[in-house]
Amino acid sequence: MPSCKSVYDPQEDSTMLEKYVRQYAKGKVLDIGTGSGIQAIAAAQSKNVISVLATDIQKGVIDYCKKCIKNRKIKFMQSNLFRNIKGKFDTIIFNPPYLPQELKVKDLTIDGGKKGYEVIERFLKDANNFLKPEGIILMVFSSLTKKEKVEEFIKNSLLDFRELENQHIFFEDLYVYLLRKNEFLKKIEAKGISSVEYLAKGHRGIIFTGIFKSRKIAVKAKNPKSAASGRIQNEAKWLEKLNRLGIGPKLAFAGDDYFACRYIEGDFILEFIKKSNKAQIRQAIKKIFMQMLALDKLGIDKEEMHRPLKHVIVSGNKPCLVDFEKVHYSKNPKNVTQFCQFILNSGELLEEKGIAPDRQKIMRLAKIYKNSRNKVDFGKIIGAI
Ligand SMILES: C[S@@+](CC[C@H](N)C(=O)[O-])C[C@H]1O[C@@H](n2cnc3c(N)ncnc32)[C@H](O)[C@@H]1O
């Protein structure tokens, strides 16, 4: 048998995983980081398996496998994770390199990145796009990789996991996990959303991005940790209403516990101010004020506009309001006056950009507007900035 020094000699992690590959592998199988081909061979030997695509980042490994392994069910291909892979699989197997990069010599068979979990993180980010709705992932990793981190990546990828086995070996614990798409992911994928990726978490909501009809969208779902109920549905209703006024990202569709809307590529308001020049900032501020006026006129309070740090995304010079969790009808909507407060609180930053709003004057004008809520008094505020 020819030898290849970069082929990973099967170790305890390999044999532990192999056991479950024999038990669970089914249909069309993808074995990532095949090394000696141990998992690919085990899968091919199962009568539930139709075909195996075995890949590795190292060309030497693939050349070695092609020479040594003759099995009509298995095909080999060089690929960095999913880069050269096409199609969807019933089973994805991965025994990743998972050790923190302590050694100066870079060894692709064991080196999982600086912290040890970077390769796993990249794998989990993309895996869903290559997994059929009822598909499974079989993966092994070590306590040296930080279990909590791996579980966080799994959850953020909208996967459910089950620990099949753990074993203490010398200085580490090894874990074999079986992962599946969670119900929420299956539901939104069935709606035609692909490439779902975690973006951010708030108290009540959790936001993912995805592709819908060739466009990037944001999907907001209930944060499982939040006890509040009906908030997401409420937000979707408001977004639909406000879209008619040209406010907020366009709603694509909503379900009982999520909604999907256009993804706004841009900067949050403070970042935008830091990056932009006086004319651009003035223009964006004016456009935000116009939206505040429209809301005030309709008796709608967005709330939190005195500190809209994550409530306005500026794309080009076009500001878009986001996050409508707290919107409600009010006899005394405070959108314009709250945004005046933000302008006053951002005095230093604006001054750096050559915009020096007169504090006293704006405070006075905001008070007058508060009582009249008319367009003339609103115009005076705009004129003062
Ligand atoms: C720990 S070994 C596992 C080998 C074999 N599957 C087993 O279970 O014994 C990890 C393998 O992943 C490969 N690998 C490392 N980074 C990779 C990447 N980004 N994409 C694909 N393969 C990778 C390495 O070349 C190595 O063969």
Side-chain angles (χ1 to χ4, degrees), residues 6 8-11 13-14 17 31-39 55-58 61 79-81 94-98 108-111 119 122:
S6 49
Y8 183 76
D9 265 338
Q11 312 281 317
D13 52 357
S14 316
L17 180 62
D31 175 27
I32 295 195
T34 199
S36 64
I38 175 172
Q39 314 301 345
T55 68
D56 204 285
I57 193 170
Q58 303 188 80
V61 168
S79 177
N80 181 351
L81 294 178
F94 196 25
N95 177 1
Y98 53 63
L108 284 170
T109 62
I110 53 169
D111 181 349
V119 178
R122 280 195 287 126

PDB file of all heavy atoms in Angstrom, residues 6 8-11 13-14 17 31-39 55-58 61 79-81 94-98 108-111 119 122, ligand 1:
ATOM      1  N   SER A   6       0.721  12.859   4.904  1.00  0.00           N
ATOM      2  CA  SER A   6      -0.345  13.749   5.361  1.00  0.00           C
ATOM      3  C   SER A   6      -1.681  13.037   5.541  1.00  0.00           C
ATOM      4  O   SER A   6      -2.688  13.677   5.795  1.00  0.00           O
ATOM      5  CB  SER A   6      -0.494  14.917   4.395  1.00  0.00           C
ATOM      6  OG  SER A   6      -0.552  14.429   3.088  1.00  0.00           O
ATOM      7  N   TYR A   8      -4.153  11.018   7.726  1.00  0.00           N
ATOM      8  CA  TYR A   8      -4.366  10.843   9.165  1.00  0.00           C
ATOM      9  C   TYR A   8      -4.595   9.369   9.452  1.00  0.00           C
ATOM     10  O   TYR A   8      -5.540   8.766   8.958  1.00  0.00           O
ATOM     11  CB  TYR A   8      -5.602  11.663   9.540  1.00  0.00           C
ATOM     12  CG  TYR A   8      -5.984  11.686  10.995  1.00  0.00           C
ATOM     13  CD1 TYR A   8      -5.294  12.456  11.917  1.00  0.00           C
ATOM     14  CD2 TYR A   8      -7.083  10.952  11.445  1.00  0.00           C
ATOM     15  CE1 TYR A   8      -5.685  12.503  13.252  1.00  0.00           C
ATOM     16  CE2 TYR A   8      -7.472  10.986  12.782  1.00  0.00           C
ATOM     17  CZ  TYR A   8      -6.765  11.770  13.674  1.00  0.00           C
ATOM     18  OH  TYR A   8      -7.159  11.820  14.987  1.00  0.00           O
ATOM     19  N   ASP A   9      -3.707   8.805  10.236  1.00  0.00           N
ATOM     20  CA  ASP A   9      -3.864   7.400  10.640  1.00  0.00           C
ATOM     21  C   ASP A   9      -5.058   7.300  11.563  1.00  0.00           C
ATOM     22  O   ASP A   9      -5.091   8.013  12.560  1.00  0.00           O
ATOM     23  CB  ASP A   9      -2.622   6.955  11.424  1.00  0.00           C
ATOM     24  CG  ASP A   9      -1.637   6.273  10.519  1.00  0.00           C
ATOM     25  OD1 ASP A   9      -2.057   5.789   9.452  1.00  0.00           O
ATOM     26  OD2 ASP A   9      -0.446   6.238  10.898  1.00  0.00           O
ATOM     27  N   PRO A  10      -6.021   6.427  11.279  1.00  0.00           N
ATOM     28  CA  PRO A  10      -7.213   6.377  12.137  1.00  0.00           C
ATOM     29  C   PRO A  10      -6.849   6.255  13.618  1.00  0.00           C
ATOM     30  O   PRO A  10      -6.004   5.445  13.996  1.00  0.00           O
ATOM     31  CB  PRO A  10      -7.951   5.138  11.636  1.00  0.00           C
ATOM     32  CG  PRO A  10      -7.530   5.014  10.209  1.00  0.00           C
ATOM     33  CD  PRO A  10      -6.100   5.478  10.156  1.00  0.00           C
ATOM     34  N   GLN A  11      -7.475   7.127  14.437  1.00  0.00           N
ATOM     35  CA  GLN A  11      -7.259   7.141  15.886  1.00  0.00           C
ATOM     36  C   GLN A  11      -8.585   6.821  16.572  1.00  0.00           C
ATOM     37  O   GLN A  11      -9.571   6.510  15.898  1.00  0.00           O
ATOM     38  CB  GLN A  11      -6.782   8.532  16.333  1.00  0.00           C
ATOM     39  CG  GLN A  11      -5.672   9.130  15.527  1.00  0.00           C
ATOM     40  CD  GLN A  11      -4.311   8.558  15.886  1.00  0.00           C
ATOM     41  OE1 GLN A  11      -3.999   8.379  17.050  1.00  0.00           O
ATOM     42  NE2 GLN A  11      -3.499   8.268  14.881  1.00  0.00           N
ATOM     43  N   ASP A  13     -10.825   8.821  17.729  1.00  0.00           N
ATOM     44  CA  ASP A  13     -11.936   9.623  17.190  1.00  0.00           C
ATOM     45  C   ASP A  13     -12.494   8.968  15.931  1.00  0.00           C
ATOM     46  O   ASP A  13     -13.701   8.902  15.716  1.00  0.00           O
ATOM     47  CB  ASP A  13     -11.491  11.073  16.919  1.00  0.00           C
ATOM     48  CG  ASP A  13     -10.225  11.179  16.075  1.00  0.00           C
ATOM     49  OD1 ASP A  13      -9.644  10.136  15.730  1.00  0.00           O
ATOM     50  OD2 ASP A  13      -9.815  12.306  15.759  1.00  0.00           O
ATOM     51  N   SER A  14     -11.587   8.432  15.096  1.00  0.00           N
ATOM     52  CA  SER A  14     -12.021   7.812  13.835  1.00  0.00           C
ATOM     53  C   SER A  14     -12.876   6.571  14.104  1.00  0.00           C
ATOM     54  O   SER A  14     -13.955   6.414  13.525  1.00  0.00           O
ATOM     55  CB  SER A  14     -10.807   7.371  13.000  1.00  0.00           C
ATOM     56  OG  SER A  14      -9.822   8.365  12.984  1.00  0.00           O
ATOM     57  N   LEU A  17     -16.336   7.362  15.612  1.00  0.00           N
ATOM     58  CA  LEU A  17     -17.272   7.877  14.599  1.00  0.00           C
ATOM     59  C   LEU A  17     -17.687   6.761  13.635  1.00  0.00           C
ATOM     60  O   LEU A  17     -18.865   6.644  13.266  1.00  0.00           O
ATOM     61  CB  LEU A  17     -16.610   9.043  13.831  1.00  0.00           C
ATOM     62  CG  LEU A  17     -17.446   9.705  12.736  1.00  0.00           C
ATOM     63  CD1 LEU A  17     -18.720  10.340  13.316  1.00  0.00           C
ATOM     64  CD2 LEU A  17     -16.639  10.803  12.026  1.00  0.00           C
ATOM     65  N   ASP A  31     -18.511  12.481   2.750  1.00  0.00           N
ATOM     66  CA  ASP A  31     -17.536  12.344   3.845  1.00  0.00           C
ATOM     67  C   ASP A  31     -16.505  13.456   3.668  1.00  0.00           C
ATOM     68  O   ASP A  31     -15.714  13.433   2.720  1.00  0.00           O
ATOM     69  CB  ASP A  31     -16.875  10.952   3.771  1.00  0.00           C
ATOM     70  CG  ASP A  31     -15.763  10.796   4.807  1.00  0.00           C
ATOM     71  OD1 ASP A  31     -15.830  11.462   5.853  1.00  0.00           O
ATOM     72  OD2 ASP A  31     -14.831   9.995   4.560  1.00  0.00           O
ATOM     73  N   ILE A  32     -16.526  14.420   4.575  1.00  0.00           N
ATOM     74  CA  ILE A  32     -15.598  15.557   4.447  1.00  0.00           C
ATOM     75  C   ILE A  32     -14.336  15.280   5.259  1.00  0.00           C
ATOM     76  O   ILE A  32     -14.419  14.810   6.390  1.00  0.00           O
ATOM     77  CB  ILE A  32     -16.278  16.854   4.910  1.00  0.00           C
ATOM     78  CG1 ILE A  32     -17.434  17.154   3.957  1.00  0.00           C
ATOM     79  CG2 ILE A  32     -15.291  18.014   4.970  1.00  0.00           C
ATOM     80  CD1 ILE A  32     -17.989  18.539   4.037  1.00  0.00           C
ATOM     81  N   GLY A  33     -13.183  15.582   4.689  1.00  0.00           N
ATOM     82  CA  GLY A  33     -11.906  15.327   5.361  1.00  0.00           C
ATOM     83  C   GLY A  33     -11.710  13.828   5.517  1.00  0.00           C
ATOM     84  O   GLY A  33     -11.505  13.307   6.609  1.00  0.00           O
ATOM     85  N   THR A  34     -11.728  13.136   4.395  1.00  0.00           N
ATOM     86  CA  THR A  34     -11.782  11.662   4.415  1.00  0.00           C
ATOM     87  C   THR A  34     -10.508  10.998   4.952  1.00  0.00           C
ATOM     88  O   THR A  34     -10.559   9.890   5.479  1.00  0.00           O
ATOM     89  CB  THR A  34     -12.163  11.125   3.010  1.00  0.00           C
ATOM     90  OG1 THR A  34     -12.633   9.798   3.144  1.00  0.00           O
ATOM     91  CG2 THR A  34     -10.992  11.196   2.024  1.00  0.00           C
ATOM     92  N   GLY A  35      -9.367  11.662   4.818  1.00  0.00           N
ATOM     93  CA  GLY A  35      -8.114  11.088   5.337  1.00  0.00           C
ATOM     94  C   GLY A  35      -7.835   9.716   4.745  1.00  0.00           C
ATOM     95  O   GLY A  35      -7.729   9.548   3.531  1.00  0.00           O
ATOM     96  N   SER A  36      -7.758   8.718   5.624  1.00  0.00           N
ATOM     97  CA  SER A  36      -7.482   7.351   5.162  1.00  0.00           C
ATOM     98  C   SER A  36      -8.682   6.736   4.445  1.00  0.00           C
ATOM     99  O   SER A  36      -8.587   5.640   3.903  1.00  0.00           O
ATOM    100  CB  SER A  36      -7.175   6.473   6.390  1.00  0.00           C
ATOM    101  OG  SER A  36      -8.345   6.407   7.197  1.00  0.00           O
ATOM    102  N   GLY A  37      -9.832   7.424   4.499  1.00  0.00           N
ATOM    103  CA  GLY A  37     -11.048   6.896   3.856  1.00  0.00           C
ATOM    104  C   GLY A  37     -11.849   5.977   4.768  1.00  0.00           C
ATOM    105  O   GLY A  37     -12.814   5.350   4.341  1.00  0.00           O
ATOM    106  N   ILE A  38     -11.481   5.950   6.045  1.00  0.00           N
ATOM    107  CA  ILE A  38     -12.118   5.003   6.977  1.00  0.00           C
ATOM    108  C   ILE A  38     -13.645   5.173   7.041  1.00  0.00           C
ATOM    109  O   ILE A  38     -14.386   4.184   7.025  1.00  0.00           O
ATOM    110  CB  ILE A  38     -11.466   5.099   8.387  1.00  0.00           C
ATOM    111  CG1 ILE A  38     -12.206   4.198   9.390  1.00  0.00           C
ATOM    112  CG2 ILE A  38     -11.374   6.491   8.922  1.00  0.00           C
ATOM    113  CD1 ILE A  38     -11.526   4.086  10.752  1.00  0.00           C
ATOM    114  N   GLN A  39     -14.109   6.443   7.069  1.00  0.00           N
ATOM    115  CA  GLN A  39     -15.564   6.663   7.190  1.00  0.00           C
ATOM    116  C   GLN A  39     -16.257   6.352   5.861  1.00  0.00           C
ATOM    117  O   GLN A  39     -17.357   5.788   5.843  1.00  0.00           O
ATOM    118  CB  GLN A  39     -15.878   8.119   7.614  1.00  0.00           C
ATOM    119  CG  GLN A  39     -15.032   8.666   8.757  1.00  0.00           C
ATOM    120  CD  GLN A  39     -15.150   7.858  10.050  1.00  0.00           C
ATOM    121  OE1 GLN A  39     -16.062   7.037  10.220  1.00  0.00           O
ATOM    122  NE2 GLN A  39     -14.220   8.069  10.973  1.00  0.00           N
ATOM    123  N   THR A  55     -14.186  13.557   0.339  1.00  0.00           N
ATOM    124  CA  THR A  55     -13.385  14.726  -0.049  1.00  0.00           C
ATOM    125  C   THR A  55     -12.306  15.010   0.998  1.00  0.00           C
ATOM    126  O   THR A  55     -12.415  14.587   2.150  1.00  0.00           O
ATOM    127  CB  THR A  55     -14.274  15.984  -0.142  1.00  0.00           C
ATOM    128  OG1 THR A  55     -14.714  16.320   1.177  1.00  0.00           O
ATOM    129  CG2 THR A  55     -15.482  15.757  -1.031  1.00  0.00           C
ATOM    130  N   ASP A  56     -11.322  15.761   0.571  1.00  0.00           N
ATOM    131  CA  ASP A  56     -10.299  16.216   1.517  1.00  0.00           C
ATOM    132  C   ASP A  56      -9.671  17.476   0.942  1.00  0.00           C
ATOM    133  O   ASP A  56      -9.604  17.648  -0.281  1.00  0.00           O
ATOM    134  CB  ASP A  56      -9.221  15.151   1.743  1.00  0.00           C
ATOM    135  CG  ASP A  56      -8.525  15.331   3.090  1.00  0.00           C
ATOM    136  OD1 ASP A  56      -7.690  16.260   3.206  1.00  0.00           O
ATOM    137  OD2 ASP A  56      -8.841  14.575   4.034  1.00  0.00           O
ATOM    138  N   ILE A  57      -9.199  18.330   1.827  1.00  0.00           N
ATOM    139  CA  ILE A  57      -8.563  19.578   1.375  1.00  0.00           C
ATOM    140  C   ILE A  57      -7.207  19.284   0.711  1.00  0.00           C
ATOM    141  O   ILE A  57      -6.745  20.036  -0.138  1.00  0.00           O
ATOM    142  CB  ILE A  57      -8.410  20.567   2.560  1.00  0.00           C
ATOM    143  CG1 ILE A  57      -8.060  21.976   2.075  1.00  0.00           C
ATOM    144  CG2 ILE A  57      -7.383  20.073   3.562  1.00  0.00           C
ATOM    145  CD1 ILE A  57      -8.138  23.046   3.160  1.00  0.00           C
ATOM    146  N   GLN A  58      -6.577  18.157   1.111  1.00  0.00           N
ATOM    147  CA  GLN A  58      -5.226  17.871   0.624  1.00  0.00           C
ATOM    148  C   GLN A  58      -5.246  16.972  -0.616  1.00  0.00           C
ATOM    149  O   GLN A  58      -5.813  15.882  -0.599  1.00  0.00           O
ATOM    150  CB  GLN A  58      -4.427  17.153   1.712  1.00  0.00           C
ATOM    151  CG  GLN A  58      -4.350  17.922   3.014  1.00  0.00           C
ATOM    152  CD  GLN A  58      -3.402  17.264   3.977  1.00  0.00           C
ATOM    153  OE1 GLN A  58      -2.181  17.433   3.858  1.00  0.00           O
ATOM    154  NE2 GLN A  58      -3.936  16.502   4.908  1.00  0.00           N
ATOM    155  N   VAL A  61      -3.822  13.490  -0.144  1.00  0.00           N
ATOM    156  CA  VAL A  61      -4.748  12.532   0.490  1.00  0.00           C
ATOM    157  C   VAL A  61      -5.667  11.929  -0.566  1.00  0.00           C
ATOM    158  O   VAL A  61      -5.892  10.707  -0.600  1.00  0.00           O
ATOM    159  CB  VAL A  61      -5.567  13.246   1.606  1.00  0.00           C
ATOM    160  CG1 VAL A  61      -6.717  12.393   2.085  1.00  0.00           C
ATOM    161  CG2 VAL A  61      -4.661  13.619   2.773  1.00  0.00           C
ATOM    162  N   SER A  79     -11.483  19.068  -2.045  1.00  0.00           N
ATOM    163  CA  SER A  79     -12.331  20.236  -1.773  1.00  0.00           C
ATOM    164  C   SER A  79     -12.039  20.778  -0.376  1.00  0.00           C
ATOM    165  O   SER A  79     -11.855  20.024   0.568  1.00  0.00           O
ATOM    166  CB  SER A  79     -13.815  19.842  -1.866  1.00  0.00           C
ATOM    167  OG  SER A  79     -14.631  20.941  -1.539  1.00  0.00           O
ATOM    168  N   ASN A  80     -11.987  22.096  -0.292  1.00  0.00           N
ATOM    169  CA  ASN A  80     -11.891  22.747   1.005  1.00  0.00           C
ATOM    170  C   ASN A  80     -13.322  22.845   1.542  1.00  0.00           C
ATOM    171  O   ASN A  80     -14.141  23.582   0.998  1.00  0.00           O
ATOM    172  CB  ASN A  80     -11.281  24.133   0.812  1.00  0.00           C
ATOM    173  CG  ASN A  80     -11.113  24.886   2.128  1.00  0.00           C
ATOM    174  OD1 ASN A  80     -11.601  24.460   3.177  1.00  0.00           O
ATOM    175  ND2 ASN A  80     -10.433  26.006   2.064  1.00  0.00           N
ATOM    176  N   LEU A  81     -13.646  22.062   2.538  1.00  0.00           N
ATOM    177  CA  LEU A  81     -15.023  21.930   3.030  1.00  0.00           C
ATOM    178  C   LEU A  81     -15.976  21.772   1.843  1.00  0.00           C
ATOM    179  O   LEU A  81     -15.823  20.843   1.068  1.00  0.00           O
ATOM    180  CB  LEU A  81     -15.392  23.100   3.951  1.00  0.00           C
ATOM    181  CG  LEU A  81     -14.600  23.147   5.270  1.00  0.00           C
ATOM    182  CD1 LEU A  81     -14.985  24.353   6.111  1.00  0.00           C
ATOM    183  CD2 LEU A  81     -14.802  21.874   6.103  1.00  0.00           C
ATOM    184  N   PHE A  94     -18.245  14.103   9.258  1.00  0.00           N
ATOM    185  CA  PHE A  94     -17.062  14.960   9.408  1.00  0.00           C
ATOM    186  C   PHE A  94     -16.323  14.616  10.694  1.00  0.00           C
ATOM    187  O   PHE A  94     -16.880  14.698  11.784  1.00  0.00           O
ATOM    188  CB  PHE A  94     -17.488  16.438   9.429  1.00  0.00           C
ATOM    189  CG  PHE A  94     -16.350  17.418   9.207  1.00  0.00           C
ATOM    190  CD1 PHE A  94     -15.189  17.069   8.513  1.00  0.00           C
ATOM    191  CD2 PHE A  94     -16.445  18.727   9.689  1.00  0.00           C
ATOM    192  CE1 PHE A  94     -14.155  17.983   8.298  1.00  0.00           C
ATOM    193  CE2 PHE A  94     -15.420  19.648   9.489  1.00  0.00           C
ATOM    194  CZ  PHE A  94     -14.283  19.273   8.782  1.00  0.00           C
ATOM    195  N   ASN A  95     -15.071  14.208  10.525  1.00  0.00           N
ATOM    196  CA  ASN A  95     -14.144  14.103  11.645  1.00  0.00           C
ATOM    197  C   ASN A  95     -13.151  15.234  11.432  1.00  0.00           C
ATOM    198  O   ASN A  95     -12.165  15.079  10.722  1.00  0.00           O
ATOM    199  CB  ASN A  95     -13.441  12.738  11.642  1.00  0.00           C
ATOM    200  CG  ASN A  95     -12.401  12.627  12.753  1.00  0.00           C
ATOM    201  OD1 ASN A  95     -12.214  13.565  13.535  1.00  0.00           O
ATOM    202  ND2 ASN A  95     -11.709  11.494  12.816  1.00  0.00           N
ATOM    203  N   PRO A  96     -13.454  16.397  11.976  1.00  0.00           N
ATOM    204  CA  PRO A  96     -12.673  17.594  11.619  1.00  0.00           C
ATOM    205  C   PRO A  96     -11.329  17.661  12.327  1.00  0.00           C
ATOM    206  O   PRO A  96     -11.144  17.013  13.366  1.00  0.00           O
ATOM    207  CB  PRO A  96     -13.575  18.721  12.123  1.00  0.00           C
ATOM    208  CG  PRO A  96     -14.306  18.133  13.273  1.00  0.00           C
ATOM    209  CD  PRO A  96     -14.459  16.650  13.012  1.00  0.00           C
ATOM    210  N   PRO A  97     -10.434  18.467  11.779  1.00  0.00           N
ATOM    211  CA  PRO A  97      -9.251  18.797  12.580  1.00  0.00           C
ATOM    212  C   PRO A  97      -9.761  19.701  13.682  1.00  0.00           C
ATOM    213  O   PRO A  97     -10.469  20.656  13.415  1.00  0.00           O
ATOM    214  CB  PRO A  97      -8.359  19.556  11.599  1.00  0.00           C
ATOM    215  CG  PRO A  97      -9.272  20.060  10.537  1.00  0.00           C
ATOM    216  CD  PRO A  97     -10.479  19.181  10.502  1.00  0.00           C
ATOM    217  N   TYR A  98      -9.491  19.392  14.923  1.00  0.00           N
ATOM    218  CA  TYR A  98     -10.133  20.167  15.994  1.00  0.00           C
ATOM    219  C   TYR A  98      -9.199  20.607  17.100  1.00  0.00           C
ATOM    220  O   TYR A  98      -9.633  21.001  18.168  1.00  0.00           O
ATOM    221  CB  TYR A  98     -11.317  19.388  16.570  1.00  0.00           C
ATOM    222  CG  TYR A  98     -11.016  17.960  17.024  1.00  0.00           C
ATOM    223  CD1 TYR A  98     -10.126  17.721  18.054  1.00  0.00           C
ATOM    224  CD2 TYR A  98     -11.638  16.880  16.406  1.00  0.00           C
ATOM    225  CE1 TYR A  98      -9.860  16.434  18.461  1.00  0.00           C
ATOM    226  CE2 TYR A  98     -11.389  15.583  16.811  1.00  0.00           C
ATOM    227  CZ  TYR A  98     -10.498  15.356  17.843  1.00  0.00           C
ATOM    228  OH  TYR A  98     -10.231  14.080  18.247  1.00  0.00           O
ATOM    229  N   LEU A 108      -2.634  20.106   8.674  1.00  0.00           N
ATOM    230  CA  LEU A 108      -4.046  20.166   8.287  1.00  0.00           C
ATOM    231  C   LEU A 108      -4.885  19.009   8.820  1.00  0.00           C
ATOM    232  O   LEU A 108      -6.102  19.084   8.843  1.00  0.00           O
ATOM    233  CB  LEU A 108      -4.163  20.183   6.755  1.00  0.00           C
ATOM    234  CG  LEU A 108      -3.836  21.508   6.078  1.00  0.00           C
ATOM    235  CD1 LEU A 108      -3.750  21.325   4.575  1.00  0.00           C
ATOM    236  CD2 LEU A 108      -4.872  22.552   6.422  1.00  0.00           C
ATOM    237  N   THR A 109      -4.222  17.927   9.236  1.00  0.00           N
ATOM    238  CA  THR A 109      -5.000  16.776   9.696  1.00  0.00           C
ATOM    239  C   THR A 109      -5.569  17.005  11.095  1.00  0.00           C
ATOM    240  O   THR A 109      -6.576  16.431  11.450  1.00  0.00           O
ATOM    241  CB  THR A 109      -4.155  15.474   9.701  1.00  0.00           C
ATOM    242  OG1 THR A 109      -3.080  15.654  10.604  1.00  0.00           O
ATOM    243  CG2 THR A 109      -3.649  15.135   8.329  1.00  0.00           C
ATOM    244  N   ILE A 110      -4.916  17.879  11.884  1.00  0.00           N
ATOM    245  CA  ILE A 110      -5.383  18.068  13.264  1.00  0.00           C
ATOM    246  C   ILE A 110      -5.648  19.524  13.638  1.00  0.00           C
ATOM    247  O   ILE A 110      -6.334  19.792  14.617  1.00  0.00           O
ATOM    248  CB  ILE A 110      -4.357  17.479  14.276  1.00  0.00           C
ATOM    249  CG1 ILE A 110      -2.958  18.044  14.017  1.00  0.00           C
ATOM    250  CG2 ILE A 110      -4.359  15.967  14.236  1.00  0.00           C
ATOM    251  CD1 ILE A 110      -1.966  17.710  15.121  1.00  0.00           C
ATOM    252  N   ASP A 111      -5.133  20.453  12.856  1.00  0.00           N
ATOM    253  CA  ASP A 111      -5.171  21.852  13.216  1.00  0.00           C
ATOM    254  C   ASP A 111      -6.524  22.476  12.890  1.00  0.00           C
ATOM    255  O   ASP A 111      -6.868  22.691  11.730  1.00  0.00           O
ATOM    256  CB  ASP A 111      -4.044  22.536  12.429  1.00  0.00           C
ATOM    257  CG  ASP A 111      -3.948  24.000  12.738  1.00  0.00           C
ATOM    258  OD1 ASP A 111      -4.862  24.522  13.377  1.00  0.00           O
ATOM    259  OD2 ASP A 111      -2.945  24.598  12.337  1.00  0.00           O
ATOM    260  N   VAL A 119     -12.550  25.547  12.021  1.00  0.00           N
ATOM    261  CA  VAL A 119     -12.948  24.722  10.867  1.00  0.00           C
ATOM    262  C   VAL A 119     -14.372  24.198  11.090  1.00  0.00           C
ATOM    263  O   VAL A 119     -15.201  24.209  10.181  1.00  0.00           O
ATOM    264  CB  VAL A 119     -11.958  23.554  10.632  1.00  0.00           C
ATOM    265  CG1 VAL A 119     -12.427  22.681   9.468  1.00  0.00           C
ATOM    266  CG2 VAL A 119     -10.563  24.088  10.330  1.00  0.00           C
ATOM    267  N   ARG A 122     -16.874  26.969  10.379  1.00  0.00           N
ATOM    268  CA  ARG A 122     -17.096  27.183   8.932  1.00  0.00           C
ATOM    269  C   ARG A 122     -17.926  26.045   8.357  1.00  0.00           C
ATOM    270  O   ARG A 122     -18.812  26.254   7.533  1.00  0.00           O
ATOM    271  CB  ARG A 122     -15.745  27.269   8.195  1.00  0.00           C
ATOM    272  CG  ARG A 122     -15.104  28.640   8.325  1.00  0.00           C
ATOM    273  CD  ARG A 122     -14.007  28.825   7.322  1.00  0.00           C
ATOM    274  NE  ARG A 122     -12.811  28.056   7.648  1.00  0.00           N
ATOM    275  CZ  ARG A 122     -12.220  27.216   6.842  1.00  0.00           C
ATOM    276  NH1 ARG A 122     -12.685  26.995   5.628  1.00  0.00           N
ATOM    277  NH2 ARG A 122     -11.134  26.566   7.231  1.00  0.00           N
TER     278      ARG A 122
HETATM  279  C1  LIG B   1      -8.833  14.285  11.827  1.00  0.00           C
HETATM  280  S1  LIG B   1      -8.606  13.876  10.151  1.00  0.00           S
HETATM  281  C2  LIG B   1      -9.936  12.735   9.867  1.00  0.00           C
HETATM  282  C3  LIG B   1      -9.647  11.711   8.825  1.00  0.00           C
HETATM  283  C4  LIG B   1     -10.702  10.621   8.696  1.00  0.00           C
HETATM  284  N1  LIG B   1     -11.966  11.136   8.229  1.00  0.00           N
HETATM  285  C5  LIG B   1     -10.879   9.872   9.998  1.00  0.00           C
HETATM  286  O1  LIG B   1     -12.002   9.862  10.519  1.00  0.00           O
HETATM  287  O2  LIG B   1      -9.896   9.286  10.471  1.00  0.00           O
HETATM  288  C6  LIG B   1      -9.149  15.386   9.372  1.00  0.00           C
HETATM  289  C7  LIG B   1      -9.064  15.406   7.862  1.00  0.00           C
HETATM  290  O3  LIG B   1      -9.680  16.595   7.405  1.00  0.00           O
HETATM  291  C8  LIG B   1      -8.910  17.140   6.364  1.00  0.00           C
HETATM  292  N2  LIG B   1      -9.197  18.575   6.343  1.00  0.00           N
HETATM  293  C9  LIG B   1      -8.666  19.567   7.109  1.00  0.00           C
HETATM  294  N3  LIG B   1      -9.210  20.753   6.813  1.00  0.00           N
HETATM  295  C10 LIG B   1     -10.106  20.509   5.827  1.00  0.00           C
HETATM  296  C11 LIG B   1     -10.966  21.350   5.069  1.00  0.00           C
HETATM  297  N4  LIG B   1     -11.026  22.685   5.273  1.00  0.00           N
HETATM  298  N5  LIG B   1     -11.727  20.783   4.104  1.00  0.00           N
HETATM  299  C12 LIG B   1     -11.672  19.419   3.885  1.00  0.00           C
HETATM  300  N6  LIG B   1     -10.861  18.603   4.551  1.00  0.00           N
HETATM  301  C13 LIG B   1     -10.094  19.126   5.523  1.00  0.00           C
HETATM  302  C14 LIG B   1      -7.494  16.805   6.689  1.00  0.00           C
HETATM  303  O4  LIG B   1      -6.675  16.815   5.532  1.00  0.00           O
HETATM  304  C15 LIG B   1      -7.666  15.416   7.295  1.00  0.00           C
HETATM  305  O5  LIG B   1      -7.539  14.432   6.318  1.00  0.00           O
END
